[in-house]
Amino acid sequence: MFIDMHVHPAFFEPINEDAGVEEMRHDVLNIHKNGTAPLAHIFNQMKCASLDSLCLLPEDYTTQVGRAVVTNEEIRKLLDLAPDKFIGFAGADPYDEKAADKLEYAFTELKLSGLKLHPSRQHFYPNDAILGPLIEVCERYNKPIIFHSGLSIEPNTYTKYARPTEFEELAANHPNLRICLAHFGWPWVQETAMLMLKYPNVYADTGLLYFDNAYEFYERVFHQDIPITWIDRSLRHQVMFGSNNPRFEQIRMADAITKLGFRDSTLELIKGGNALEFLNGR
């Protein structure tokens, strides 16, 4: 099983029937050179990358841009079109007074698998009290949270909100809440590794590529910034593959992760085993 835990479906064709919404997504996400992708194209990409499932992540910036960039209902629509290929997460705007109720609806009625939040873009620290109602819903329904962490190149983002060490109180105070620091918290990858070592409920995904090509960037991060042995021997149960598609090229990311020299058993965990535990609990 090979699962991509970090895919943004903002430009999947079935949810882009409105040209104005598509233009909004290009502007808000700062992704401009791609068109919309028919599901046949998505499935072909998956085949070329040897991927079995994609975890679809929405973003809800309602109080900033007037609506969710991708709604929870749109995620459900995509799941219904390919339930054997897609896993769906919910979005929420912590500043929306009805956010907790909407999240509960997403879990109970839309059957979504977790929550995606973007502290840098939504302008909150992970230990802010405003996040409390959303955390309570996630804990009640045993659902994990994927947080953007580290650098974001979306407009109106502030990296100070998403430095890995900002997540420590959350991890410590909610030991049963599974959280993923997306993008491995780059450039603070050693801070991310530190949190993973200290808190078994902290995971990270590999959706990071900001210079060079996929293999060269992974080689720098997972051989120099972090010795590969840190993952291969100690953190092997907490790392999940993620591509950050469409910003980063999925096929090359999937290929690069297999060439870094991880043990076969570690690679199988990164490719899918850890994702299943993150989604369902250990």
Side-chain angles (χ1 to χ4, degrees), residues 242-259:
S243 69
N244 198 24
N245 180 265
R247 194 177 299 278
F248 303 148
E249 211 284 320
Q250 190 174 56
I251 297 170
R252 296 182 183 182
M253 301 287 278
D255 180 65
I257 203 70
T258 68
K259 295 179 176 178

Side-chain angles (χ1 to χ4, degrees), residues 80-102:
D80 289 340
L81 292 172
D84 60 327
K85 297 183 183 296
F86 295 152
I87 302 161
F89 267 49
D93 184 338
Y95 293 98
D96 179 356
E97 61 183 17
K98 297 181 179 179
D101 292 336
K102 292 178 180 178

Side-chain angles (χ1 to χ4, degrees), residues 149-220:
S149 66
L151 171 70
S152 174
I153 54 179
E154 287 184 21
N156 196 28
T157 57
Y158 300 99
T159 308
K160 66 178 183 178
Y161 292 112
R163 184 164 181 165
T165 49
E166 295 293 341
F167 293 88
E168 182 165 17
E169 288 183 54
L170 177 65
N173 293 333
H174 299 274
N176 296 318
L177 177 67
R178 301 180 301 283
I179 64 175
C180 173
L181 303 188
H183 315 287
F184 225 99
W186 192 90
W188 297 288
V189 293
Q190 291 188 359
E191 289 186 7
T192 301
M194 175 271 292
L195 291 178
M196 295 164 71
L197 179 66
K198 189 174 179 181
Y199 303 100
N201 57 324
V202 176
Y203 293 69
D205 76 39
T206 64
L208 67 169
L209 173 63
Y210 302 102
F211 300 101
D212 307 312
N213 60 49
Y215 176 76
E216 289 175 351
F217 198 81
Y218 276 173
E219 196 279 335
R220 166 70 198 197

